[in-house]
Amino acid sequence: QVQLVESGGGLVQPGGSLRLSCAASGSIFSIYAMGWYRQAPGKQRELVATITSGGSTTYADSVKGRFTISRDNAENTMYLQMDSLKPEDTAVYSCYAGTIVGGRPGKYWGQGTQVTVSS
């Protein structure tokens, strides 16, 4: 089992920045990748960014060059630095952790945090 606790959402003006955090606890050893999804009202869930245990990262085209995903292994925490925010970035952001235990994959979710970009 992995527990994920998110923090850092809020209201920001267009062009501003926010940093989301996702703290993991429990069976940390089983995590092979982590990332962030977002879902805006009336829209499908979108994979925003991922980071593997080896540090490889991927980004959605919509956030490339503006968002940066990172992780602090000592603190068991993943971050999403969001810069140059746009109104279309408004959504509930949820972190996830992909795990492998005994060859069986699993996926755990944070509780979600609201990000609102508005003037």
Side-chain angles (χ1 to χ4, degrees), residues 11-34:
L11 173 65
V12 64
Q13 292 187 340
S17 297
L18 279 176
R19 189 177 79 158
L20 305 182
S21 300
C22 177
S25 61
S27 301
I28 305 297
F29 64 91
S30 65
I31 297 174
Y32 68 88
M34 299 181 73

Side-chain angles (χ1 to χ4, degrees), residues 89-108:
D89 294 318
T90 295
V92 174
Y93 286 70
S94 300
C95 67
Y96 79 90
T99 63
I100 292 286
V101 178
R104 298 181 64 179
K107 202 165 190 176
Y108 297 88

Side-chain angles (χ1 to χ4, degrees), residues 20-66:
L20 305 182
S21 300
C22 177
S25 61
S27 301
I28 305 297
F29 64 91
S30 65
I31 297 174
Y32 68 88
M34 299 181 73
W36 296 89
Y37 280 86
R38 68 184 181 185
Q39 186 162 24
K43 293 188 177 181
Q44 287 192 330
R45 187 174 64 182
E46 177 185 23
L47 179 59
V48 176
T50 65
I51 186 166
T52 68
S53 56
S56 297
T57 59
T58 62
Y59 296 93
D61 287 342
S62 57
V63 306
K64 278 181 183 175
R66 300 188 298 121

